[in-house]
Amino acid sequence: MNHRVKNLLALASGLVALSARTAKTPQELAEAIQKRLGALARAHDLMLIEFTEGKESSERPTTLPALVGAIVSPYLPQGHDEDARIFISGPDTPIGGNAITSIALLLHEFATNAAKHGALSTSTGQVNIEWSVERDELLLTWREHGGPSLSGEPKREGFGGGLARAIVTGQLAGQISRDWNPEGLVVRLSVPLERLTKSDETTHGR
């Protein structure tokens, strides 16, 4: 528990520092930090450690569908199925350790960008989140359509783009690519399955 708490505090501290670089006002900084910490809190709820007679027993099993659903839940409309704007499809891929918080932050940044500038910023836009497992790799696609028309790749990378690249290529040892199609952004990433289940202790310091 001591190790887990220190990891979370270090992550929160890093988020504050990174958010401060792009925030234009104190209010914008506070809102960005609150939302990112909220995403971490929802992810943490999925991996609470159980205790038996004062001893740590095991982490609650977590799958990628559960994590994706928890992170995008603030953007889901309250209504009938025909009102859905975010569609999730993929196998029950196990996920644990540091990968839970890493994927949570990654998806939060995708969703935030979609809500501000992409498909979720309009009343008709939709997002498809799909993944599969091939040759010991997770292949995930975030596909937007029905939002504002895109004129190409932005001239400079924003906070979310830099954070996503650092998470995928650094923490998860994977690859990420973006296609800025006129009909909407498409993000593709591949991550070795072994990186999705490594414990905090295994990845600590990397």
Side-chain angles (χ1 to χ4, degrees):
M1 177 62 74
N2 179 59
H3 180 79
R4 172 63 53 77
V5 171
K6 284 183 177 179
N7 272 359
L8 288 174
L9 290 176
L11 180 58
S13 177
L15 285 178
V16 171
L18 289 173
S19 300
R21 295 179 185 177
T22 55
K24 298 179 181 179
T25 66
Q27 292 77 12
E28 185 176 321
L29 174 61
E31 181 179 358
I33 293 174
Q34 287 172 348
K35 289 183 177 179
R36 285 167 182 143
L37 290 180
L40 289 180
R42 293 194 297 278
H44 185 67
D45 283 342
L46 296 175
M47 64 174 185
L48 288 177
I49 297 176
E50 297 177 354
F51 288 86
T52 303
E53 296 180 355
K55 294 184 178 181
E56 186 178 308
S57 58
S58 62
E59 289 187 353
R60 182 187 301 170
T62 303
T63 64
L64 189 55
L67 180 59
V68 173
I71 298 306
V72 303
S73 60
Y75 303 93
L76 297 176
Q78 301 299 317
H80 302 288
D81 290 342
E82 57 266 26
D83 298 325
R85 301 181 60 194
I86 301 179
F87 301 88
I88 301 171
S89 175
D92 285 342
T93 309
I95 184 171
N98 281 343
I100 292 180
T101 51
S102 296
I103 296 294
L105 283 176
L106 188 68
L107 294 172
H108 171 73
E109 294 305 322
F110 291 168
T112 298
N113 183 72
K116 288 183 177 180
H117 313 291
L120 299 182
S121 68
T122 69
S123 59
T124 58
Q126 295 180 340
V127 175
N128 288 81
I129 309 170
E130 303 173 335
W131 66 89
S132 61
V133 175
E134 299 180 13
R135 294 188 294 274
D136 297 325
E137 276 194 324
L138 172 72
L139 306 178
L140 185 146
T141 300
W142 173 286
R143 189 185 306 275
E144 301 182 27
H145 58 92
S149 179
L150 302 180
S151 58
E153 183 177 354
K155 294 183 179 179
R156 73 180 212 184
E157 187 176 62
F159 172 87
L163 180 63
R165 179 169 42 80
I167 289 174
V168 175
T169 62
Q171 297 178 17
L172 299 177
Q175 297 180 342
I176 183 171
S177 66
R178 295 178 178 84
D179 293 325
W180 303 88
N181 300 323
E183 61 271 19
L185 173 66
V186 178
V187 183
R188 296 181 176 89
L189 60 91
S190 61
V191 176
L193 285 181
E194 63 174 7
R195 301 294 294 195
L196 298 180
T197 55
K198 282 190 174 183
S199 66
D200 291 348
E201 289 79 5
T202 303
T203 57
H204 181 60
R206 295 186 181 182

